[in-house]
Amino acid sequence: MTEQLYYQNVYLRECTAMVRTCYKEKDRYAAVLDRTVFYPEGGGQPYDTGTLGDAKVLEVHKKDGEIVHYLDRPLEEGKEVTAEINWERRFDLMQQHSGEHMVSGIVHEKYGYDNVGFHMGSDVITIDFNGILTEEQLGEVENLVNQKVWENRNVEITYPSEEELRTLPYRSKKELTGEIRIVNIPETDLCACCGLHVTHTGEVGMVKLLSVQKFRQGVRVEMICGNRVLSYLNEINTQNKEISVLLSAHPAKTAAAVKRLWEENFQNKGKVISLEERVFQNEAESLKGAGNTLIWEEGLESDSVRKLTDAVMHTCQGLCAVFSEQKDGSFKYAVGEEGGDLRTFIKEMNQALQGKGGGKPFFAQGFVQASKEEIEEFFRKLSPTVCGSKK
Ligand SMILES: [Zn+2]
């Protein structure tokens, strides 16, 4: 069995070790050492990465009781190598893991809920609890957890006897047998865990609970700790500064400024719609009795294309077709004729102009992937009155 140096000292970043075995497995190499600083995936904590001599350590897993380091190149058996972990990654994982214990312990103590699912992602940590927490309660938990962080409590690791364990109110996801490792964060959490933790809670730095949402019978909480809080703060701060400059609003009042902008936009949209309707009515008036009519527009929404067609078809006494060119060069269209039956016509048009769409016998709407010339060519046989902005 490989000597697990990380259990003796979690701050050990490197060691020398002897390569006991090394073999090829699929497209990579697997090495077992006499001792290691590399933590294999376990207890919800991801594996360490780093280097073994010249080889990159890609993953580390426990397999048949051995700690197997998966490498990008082979190592000579019997040779001594230097093992070095990616400390930044490890310390980040220790911060997240200890923070997660503290949150779970406090939620358990305060609300009696169990942590029933836990995932340490590369962005956020998620914890699933088997009970409901409100945003307000989440805020209380966050305050309590951070107080415990700043009290800089010692994190104690113990291996109690079976008798001691019977009276110990520790958290555990499953029934455990054999030697049990207990992680004790005084007045905060007591939990059976094989993962690696900071030795003082102050090293967690800060715990930020990002969100809570209903999940199965309880809730899922998203959280980050330590350096991830700083990165998050930087990202959000940069975003907010940009919004603040764009809206000439104080950084603490950007939400109110966005709300005002949204309301303005909503009102303007209403004005645009009523102006558009007046323009369409005028156009319909001017095309009274014009017969078959082909109208060119640019950038109109489907709804406006429909409204314009509807207005003109009631006055022109023929077929009315509106084509509005879109940014990608395609055209949105609507074709209508009061009391008409356009089904065959639309079918032929869609075929000729690579279009899609349909509707009622007297009215159809869709789009075509054709040029203005091709559309004009198709409509030439109807000899329509041609009007609109793109004559
Ligand atoms: Zn744990």
Side-chain angles (χ1 to χ4, degrees):
M1 182 71 193
T2 309
E3 196 183 347
Q4 301 166 79
L5 298 178
Y6 43 80
Y7 280 149
Q8 295 163 26
N9 177 3
V10 285
Y11 298 101
L12 209 57
R13 301 175 190 202
E14 63 169 76
C15 71
T16 53
M18 201 261 289
V19 181
R20 271 175 37 208
T21 54
C22 186
Y23 53 92
K24 196 165 195 277
E25 205 182 285
K26 287 179 189 158
D27 57 343
R28 47 194 196 169
Y29 297 88
V32 177
L33 311 173
D34 63 341
R35 56 188 200 152
T36 189
V37 283
F38 282 88
Y39 180 75
E41 190 172 45
Q45 184 171 333
Y47 50 78
D48 289 329
T49 59
T51 53
L52 272 188
D54 295 336
K56 249 193 199 155
V57 179
L58 309 166
E59 287 181 29
V60 187
H61 295 282
K62 241 185 188 165
K63 203 176 152 193
D64 307 323
E66 291 286 11
I67 295 163
V68 185
H69 306 72
Y70 291 95
L71 313 173
D72 67 340
R73 66 187 70 180
L75 292 174
E76 206 181 306
E77 288 183 358
K79 211 183 153 189
E80 196 173 75
V81 288
T82 300
E84 188 180 355
I85 59 168
N86 174 345
W87 174 249
E88 216 176 290
R89 173 183 161 92
R90 157 72 81 73
F91 185 63
D92 168 69
L93 293 172
M94 280 162 46
Q95 284 184 315
Q96 311 310 316
H97 198 165
S98 299
E100 177 268 324
H101 272 228
M102 294 176 78
V103 171
S104 298
I106 284 173
V107 168
H108 185 73
E109 172 70 27
K110 210 168 151 56
Y111 301 102
Y113 304 152
D114 298 316
N115 167 334
V116 289
F118 159 47
H119 178 69
M120 248 197 246
S122 54
D123 291 332
V124 297
I125 313 303
T126 60
I127 313 176
D128 301 335
F129 291 107
N130 57 357
I132 303 295
L133 285 171
T134 63
E135 289 274 356
E136 202 187 350
Q137 289 168 330
L138 201 71
E140 284 170 21
V141 172
E142 188 179 82
N143 278 334
L144 273 170
V145 170
N146 282 298
Q147 272 167 35
K148 297 291 178 191
V149 168
W150 302 326
E151 282 170 15
N152 204 20
R153 297 300 189 97
N154 278 331
V155 178
E156 295 153 7
I157 308 285
T158 55
Y159 296 86
S161 67
E162 268 182 51
E163 282 83 59
E164 287 172 303
L165 277 171
R166 249 175 252 136
T167 58
L168 222 52
Y170 65 97
R171 296 189 299 114
S172 173
K173 283 207 187 72
K174 51 190 177 195
E175 277 301 314
L176 298 167
T177 50
E179 191 180 57
I180 293 170
R181 187 171 182 263
I182 296 289
V183 180
N184 179 19
I185 305 175
E187 290 169 41
T188 311
D189 187 44
L190 196 61
C191 184
C193 174
C194 60
L196 304 184
H197 292 269
V198 296
T199 55
H200 296 84
T201 59
E203 292 169 71
V204 173
M206 182 175 271
V207 176
K208 179 66 201 160
L209 304 181
L210 296 172
S211 68
V212 57
Q213 46 187 315
K214 285 214 171 108
F215 184 73
R216 297 200 176 130
Q217 310 306 319
V219 289
R220 170 165 287 182
V221 171
E222 276 192 328
M223 62 174 281
I224 45 176
C225 304
N227 197 35
R228 293 190 193 191
V229 179
L230 185 60
S231 304
Y232 178 78
L233 188 59
N234 280 333
E235 197 183 316
I236 297 295
N237 195 37
T238 305
Q239 286 274 329
N240 196 46
K241 265 189 196 158
E242 248 178 72
I243 297 171
S244 155
V245 169
L246 284 170
L247 301 183
S248 306
H250 187 277
K253 295 191 170 134
T254 48
V258 169
K259 198 167 169 236
R260 269 201 306 279
L261 196 69
W262 188 90
E263 280 164 1
E264 255 173 55
N265 189 41
F266 184 77
Q267 282 168 3
N268 286 339
K269 258 190 189 162
K271 281 182 198 157
V272 167
I273 287 170
S274 77
L275 279 174
E276 214 177 53
E277 277 166 6
R278 271 163 63 186
V279 169
F280 293 167
Q281 279 311 319
N282 285 341
E283 193 150 1
E285 277 305 305
S286 72
L287 287 166
K288 213 173 204 170
N292 294 334
T293 305
L294 179 57
I295 299 174
W296 296 102
E297 289 284 350
E298 231 181 289
L300 282 192
E301 293 296 328
S302 301
D303 208 36
S304 302
V305 173
R306 176 184 62 77
K307 281 182 186 163
L308 178 56
T309 310
D310 185 62
V312 175
M313 69 181 253
H314 285 106
T315 60
C316 72
Q317 293 173 2
L319 170 151
C320 171
V322 175
F323 282 81
S324 176
E325 190 170 6
Q326 304 300 301
K327 277 193 188 118
D328 63 359
S330 68
F331 285 84
K332 283 183 174 168
Y333 75 78
V335 182
E337 185 177 12
E338 202 170 37
D341 186 348
L342 302 169
R343 282 175 288 190
T344 312
F345 179 81
I346 295 297
K347 207 173 159 188
E348 281 172 12
M349 184 185 85
N350 282 337
Q351 252 167 24
L353 303 175
Q354 292 172 56
K356 256 194 178 147
K360 295 177 179 137
F362 64 92
F363 194 95
Q365 205 171 353
F367 69 91
V368 293
Q369 299 281 359
S371 68
K372 191 185 173 195
E373 289 70 32
E374 288 166 327
I375 299 168
E376 274 175 338
E377 176 62 35
F378 181 81
F379 275 85
R380 198 154 287 147
K381 61 184 174 187
L382 293 175
S383 11
T385 307
V386 178
C387 55
S389 58
K390 293 190 76 195
K391 264 174 228 173

